[in-house]
């Protein structure tokens, strides 16, 4: 009778063992599948956004105080040209041995460099390691990116 009981226990274990193991793995497999699908979706969205903004300024960026997010190069130049032309002159005081001179940007031959500002705005967040590009996108989307309007001689 003992041999019959052992066989019955083995038969029950053999019948329920793999099923129990499969049941225990279902949450793990489900979580892994959900994570893989989420990663795939994030990759597709990232690729679509990169393609959409390849030739445009990231949303939320301002140049010299002017909002330029999502503009292409032509629209960017149109938006920035008046700001560059109306930029107030900065005055620099130069002091040496008790004497002082005042000089303006204009008197020093300095003018806003629209091309450099456009390059900086159009390339922001589009080069470098992935972590830096993602951080740049985050900063742009929350509107914390301010590109200066540099001067050139």
């Amino acid at each position: 009778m003992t041999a019959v009981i052992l066989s019955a226990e083995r038969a029950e274990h053999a019948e329920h063992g793999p099923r129990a193991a499969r049941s225990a793995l279902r949450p793990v497999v489900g979580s892994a599948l959900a994570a893989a699908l989420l990663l795939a979706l994030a990759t597709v969205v990232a690729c679509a956004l990169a393609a959409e903004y390849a030739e445009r300024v990231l949303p939320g960026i301002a140049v010299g105080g002017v909002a330029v997010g999502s503009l292409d190069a032509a629209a960017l130049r149109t938006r920035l040209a008046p700001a560059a032309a109306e930029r107030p002159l900065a005055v620099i005081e130069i002091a040496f041995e008790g004497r002082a001179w005042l000089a303006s940007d204009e008197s020093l031959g300095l003018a806003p460099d629209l091309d450099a500002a456009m390059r900086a705005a159009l390339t922001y967040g589009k080069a470098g390691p992935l972590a830096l590009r993602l951080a740049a996108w985050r900063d742009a989307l929350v509107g914390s990116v301010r590109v200066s309007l540099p001067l050139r001689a």
Side-chain angles (χ1 to χ4, degrees), residues 14 20 23 29 31-32 39 46 51 64 68 84-85 93 105-106 110-111 139 146-147 149:
S23 294
V29 171
S31 296
L39 181 61
V68 296
E93 181 177 351
D105 295 345
E106 193 173 60
L110 301 175
D139 293 344
R146 304 288 180 257
V147 177
L149 186 58

Side-chain angles (χ1 to χ4, degrees), residues 4 14 21 52 56 64 90 96 104 109 111 133 136:
V4 173
E52 181 69 22
R56 295 174 25 194
F96 182 71
S104 68
R133 287 182 287 162

Side-chain angles (χ1 to χ4, degrees), residues 70-95:
S70 300
L71 297 179
D72 64 10
L76 178 61
R77 183 173 295 282
T78 301
R79 175 83 51 92
L80 289 179
E86 297 168 3
R87 183 181 174 279
L89 294 177
V91 177
I92 302 167
E93 181 177 351
I94 303 167

Side-chain angles (χ1 to χ4, degrees), residues 22-75:
R22 282 193 302 266
S23 294
L25 285 178
R26 279 192 186 123
V28 174
V29 171
S31 296
L33 182 59
L37 288 174
L38 188 59
L39 181 61
L41 178 63
T43 302
V44 168
V45 168
C47 289
L49 285 173
E52 181 69 22
Y53 284 92
E55 301 294 325
R56 295 174 25 194
V57 178
L58 297 185
I61 292 182
V63 175
V66 178
V68 296
S70 300
L71 297 179
D72 64 10

